[in-house]
Amino acid sequence: MTFRPRRRNSRSTGSSGARNPGGPSQAGAFRSLPPVASKPSLPPLPPAAPDELATLALSPFTALGLTQDLVRALLAEGYTTPTPIQQAVIPTVLSGRDILACAQTGTGKTAAFVLPILQKLANAPKTGKVRVLVLTPTRCLLYTSDAADERSSV
């Protein structure tokens, strides 16, 4: 993978010197959104059977550093092999490093960043505060990310 630093977009500034994002304020749009309903937490998984433990141990997702519960959920959804982008991203994110990656549509980028987030959230105490903020550049990606999150909510 290659990384190329991006130049900051030099937009005009107003008389106050503050950056003008190039359009009207969107604060009003956020005020009109409905409140977010809390999702019920899922019951814990039952203990894995001995034959399932062997399958989990041999899973390529386990080799990436994902927990047994996440690997069980992935296998239950029919995912057996991580994609190349997932193989590159998941261990790096789990180690706490930032990453910038690029891959074609449909290659599993959403799972590549959501799975480590879910693992970190499952292992961290619930504080009642925002613990993850996912920014999506398009509405289409927002729906993709939301669908993936709903299938694997923690």
Side-chain angles (χ1 to χ4, degrees), residues 49-148:
D51 59 331
E52 188 181 14
L53 287 173
T55 303
L56 293 173
L58 296 175
S59 170
F61 287 105
T62 302
L64 296 178
L66 294 175
T67 62
Q68 206 176 66
D69 288 342
L70 278 176
V71 174
R72 287 176 74 187
L74 288 168
L75 294 176
E77 288 290 322
Y79 296 100
T80 56
T81 307
T83 63
I85 191 72
Q86 293 166 351
Q87 290 173 347
V89 169
I90 290 173
T92 304
V93 174
L94 285 174
S95 71
R97 294 178 39 217
D98 291 342
I99 189 163
L100 176 65
C102 182
Q104 288 185 329
T105 300
T107 57
K109 293 182 297 294
T110 301
F113 78 84
V114 168
L115 290 170
I117 289 172
L118 290 174
Q119 181 160 314
K120 288 182 179 278
L121 288 175
N123 294 334
K126 294 183 180 181
T127 61
K129 297 180 181 178
V130 174
R131 299 187 295 162
V132 174
L133 176 64
V134 178
L135 302 176
T136 59
T138 64
R139 191 172 283 171
C140 179
L141 184 56
L142 171 67
Y143 296 138
T144 302
S145 300
D146 190 44

Side-chain angles (χ1 to χ4, degrees), residues 7-66:
R7 292 184 185 192
R8 289 186 182 251
N9 188 1
S10 58
R11 295 187 179 163
S12 64
T13 59
S15 60
S16 66
R19 284 182 47 139
N20 179 0
S25 171
Q26 296 179 355
F30 290 118
R31 282 189 221 107
S32 65
L33 292 174
V36 177
S38 64
K39 294 182 183 178
S41 60
L42 298 174
L45 291 171
D51 59 331
E52 188 181 14
L53 287 173
T55 303
L56 293 173
L58 296 175
S59 170
F61 287 105
T62 302
L64 296 178
L66 294 175

